[in-house]
């Protein structure tokens, strides 16, 4: 399926609701620090001054999980797209059922949420870490939550995750009423390993990838026809009414697996000129690895949170904490605690 990703420029500014339909209170204290802001604090910080400066306009491509490529419809052309290879992403749709999602959310909601930066709330299951000083403490870490055991078993049915051993789990609550977002960033490389794994709950959303590299990326222009990947998800079609929707629907019809296509020409762009939108369907599993983990920063834009979303993210250890690594003993202790699946959120 191709997702209608015309979320930019559209932000549902009504008060977001929780699972029981109750509204968030907008005058609560947020967790923003420094230049970070959310809708709860922007009226108080610099009288609404934009702390981010001028935002560079990037060439936006869309990731197709069927093709494993990122593509962009060429404006003004009915039958041409640009496409680029985009390795290091796995999206598994319908990873959990509706009933399983409801059960997981009920368990998550039973624990207290802590306010975090940029309008997010969080729950942490893992060691306390000072990434700058490269120090960690087990602290009150008692393991991953019980419900994660069955999730991990299911993850291991995929070849990419057969040896995945998470030692940290983070729940992030995004809500449009708070202007929730997360800036482009890399997850830490000292402690966290090759694969970042997320289960996406409650809403469809978009993960946006960007790159700071100034080396050239090759983009191929294709003459394409409609393909099986062109059907937009009905929920996206019904949910969105923003400007540009028709453009994205039209563009979706040209994502192609290259069968029967003819290469027209090859254009060169810099990586820093490009961003790639990865669709995250509700109840899906998303894995970043390889270049998508190490070369591309990932972000969730405020405009792409159109209803409440919970992300359940699991991380594994880096090689430094592996059996042969300098921190091997600490890694073993973390694994033993994590896989007890008897954890509660760190206060």
């Amino acid at each position: 399926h191709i997702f209608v990703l015309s979320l930019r420029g559209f932000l549902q500014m009504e008060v977001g609701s929780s699972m029981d339909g109750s509204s968030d209170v907008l005058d609560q204290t947020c967790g923003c620090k420094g230049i970070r802001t959310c809708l709860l604090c922007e009226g108080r910080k610099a009288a609404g001054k934009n702390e981010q400066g001028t935002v560079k306009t990037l060439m936006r491509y869309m990731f197709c999980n069927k093709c494993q490529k990122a593509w962009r419809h060429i404006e003004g052309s009915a039958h041409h797209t640009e496409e680029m290879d985009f390795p290091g992403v796995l999206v598994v749709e319908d990873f959990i059922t509706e009933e399983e999602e409801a059960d997981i959310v009920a368990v998550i909601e039973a624990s207290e949420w802590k306010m975090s930066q940029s309008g997010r709330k969080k729950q942490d299951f893992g060691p306390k870490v000072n990434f700058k000083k490269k120090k960690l403490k087990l602290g009150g870490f008692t393991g991953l939550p019980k419900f994660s055991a069955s999730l991990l078993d299911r993850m291991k049915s995929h070849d990419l995750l057969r040896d995945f051993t998470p030692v940290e789990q983070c729940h992030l609550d995004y809500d449009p009423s708070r202007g929730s977002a997360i800036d482009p960033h890399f997850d830490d490389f000292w402690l966290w390993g090759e694969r970042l794994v997320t289960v996406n709950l409650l809403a469809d959303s978009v993960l946006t990838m960007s790159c700071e590299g100034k080396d050239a990326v090759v983009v191929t222009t294709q003459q394409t026809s409609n393909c099986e990947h062109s059907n937009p998800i009905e929920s996206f079609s019904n949910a969105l009414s923003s400007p540009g929707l028709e453009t994205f629907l039209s563009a979706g019809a040209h994502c192609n697996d290259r069968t029967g296509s003819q290469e027209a020409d090859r254009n060169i762009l810099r990586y820093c000129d490009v961003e790639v939108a990865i669709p995250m369907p509700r109840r899906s599993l998303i894995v970043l690895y390889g270049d998508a983990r190490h070369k591309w920063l990932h972000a969730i834009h405020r405009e792409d949170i159109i209803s409440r979303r919970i992300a359940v993210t699991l991380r594994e250890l880096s090689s430094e904490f592996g059996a042969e690594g300098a921190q091997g003993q600490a890694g073993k202790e973390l694994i033993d605690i994590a896989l007890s699946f008897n954890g509660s959120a760190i206060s």
Side-chain angles (χ1 to χ4, degrees):
H1 297 293
I2 288 298
F3 285 76
V4 182
L5 298 178
S6 57
L7 297 177
R8 286 191 172 278
F10 172 78
L11 176 59
Q12 182 178 321
M13 295 299 292
E14 63 186 35
V15 175
S17 58
S18 60
M19 287 289 285
D20 61 3
S22 60
S23 296
D24 284 338
V25 179
L26 292 180
D27 61 356
Q28 61 187 299
T29 301
C30 72
C32 296
K33 300 176 183 177
I35 65 171
R36 304 288 185 264
T37 66
C38 68
L39 291 181
L40 303 180
C41 68
E42 284 174 0
R44 303 192 303 268
K45 285 192 173 184
K49 179 181 177 182
N50 181 5
E51 300 283 354
Q52 303 298 324
T54 302
V55 177
K56 179 182 178 181
T57 300
L58 300 176
M59 191 84 70
R60 189 167 175 84
Y61 288 74
M62 300 185 206
F63 178 75
C64 176
N65 192 45
K66 301 294 191 301
C67 303
Q68 292 293 299
K69 294 181 180 294
W71 56 274
R72 183 182 74 90
H73 176 64
I74 299 177
E75 189 174 351
S77 172
H79 299 290
H80 287 84
T81 62
E82 290 178 344
E83 66 179 38
M84 57 182 285
D85 292 330
F86 199 80
V89 179
L90 172 68
V91 179
V92 180
E93 297 180 32
D94 298 316
F95 179 70
I96 59 174
T97 66
E98 293 184 24
E99 294 76 16
E100 288 170 331
E101 178 189 47
D103 290 343
I104 290 170
V105 170
V107 172
I108 289 174
E109 297 284 44
S111 295
E112 181 181 359
W113 289 100
K114 295 169 59 178
M115 294 303 297
S116 186
Q117 302 225 55
S118 300
R120 303 185 303 275
K121 293 181 180 180
K122 67 178 180 179
Q123 296 174 355
D124 288 320
F125 299 79
K128 291 188 176 181
V129 185
N130 186 321
F131 291 107
K132 289 184 178 180
K133 296 183 178 180
K134 293 188 175 181
K135 293 183 178 180
L136 62 85
K137 295 180 180 179
L138 296 181
F141 181 39
T142 54
L144 303 183
K146 185 177 181 180
F147 74 81
S148 299
S150 59
L151 288 182
L152 181 59
D153 286 343
R154 191 172 303 176
M155 290 174 188
K156 287 178 177 292
S157 68
H158 296 273
D159 289 342
L160 178 62
L161 298 174
R162 200 169 298 281
D163 61 348
F164 182 64
T165 305
V167 297
E168 191 259 5
Q169 183 166 319
C170 179
H171 304 157
L172 290 176
D173 180 321
Y174 293 79
D175 196 295
S177 69
R178 300 191 302 268
S180 302
I182 191 164
D183 290 341
H185 67 284
F186 291 113
D187 280 29
D188 178 74
F189 297 112
W190 165 68
L191 180 58
W192 307 134
E194 171 67 13
R195 294 159 291 192
L196 305 177
V197 180
T198 296
V199 180
N200 187 52
L201 306 177
L202 297 184
D204 301 318
S205 192
V206 178
L207 185 68
T208 299
M209 313 293 289
S210 59
C211 188
E212 297 175 337
K214 295 186 178 180
D215 49 325
V217 54
V218 176
V219 175
T220 303
T221 302
Q222 295 288 334
Q223 205 171 17
T224 63
S225 58
N226 292 358
C227 73
E228 61 181 344
H229 311 151
S230 63
N231 297 322
I233 294 301
E234 184 178 356
S235 61
F236 266 91
S237 299
N238 293 338
L240 300 177
S241 59
S242 61
L245 175 59
E246 293 181 359
T247 299
F248 280 96
L249 281 169
S250 174
H254 303 289
C255 178
N256 192 277
D257 61 4
R258 297 174 67 106
T259 302
S261 66
Q262 295 181 352
E263 183 174 306
D265 54 41
R266 297 167 74 84
N267 304 306
I268 302 225
L269 290 174
R270 297 180 304 170
Y271 279 99
C272 60
D273 297 324
V274 169
E275 65 179 3
V276 176
I278 300 175
M280 297 190 296
R282 182 175 179 174
R283 294 186 294 277
S284 65
L285 178 79
I286 299 96
V287 185
L288 300 182
Y289 63 99
D291 280 357
R293 163 76 167 109
H294 297 279
K295 187 170 186 175
W296 293 82
L297 298 92
H298 57 277
I300 305 285
H301 292 309
R302 180 184 292 185
E303 304 95 297
D304 293 337
I305 300 298
I306 60 173
S307 62
R308 188 185 180 211
R309 168 189 182 252
I310 294 177
V312 175
T313 296
L314 298 95
R315 299 178 177 91
E316 64 185 341
L317 290 169
S318 69
S319 59
E320 182 170 338
F321 291 83
E324 305 299 323
Q327 303 276 358
Q329 182 57 39
K332 182 180 182 305
E333 292 179 24
L334 279 172
I335 291 172
D336 289 344
I337 295 172
L339 299 188
S340 70
F341 295 107
N342 193 37
S344 56
I346 303 295
S347 57

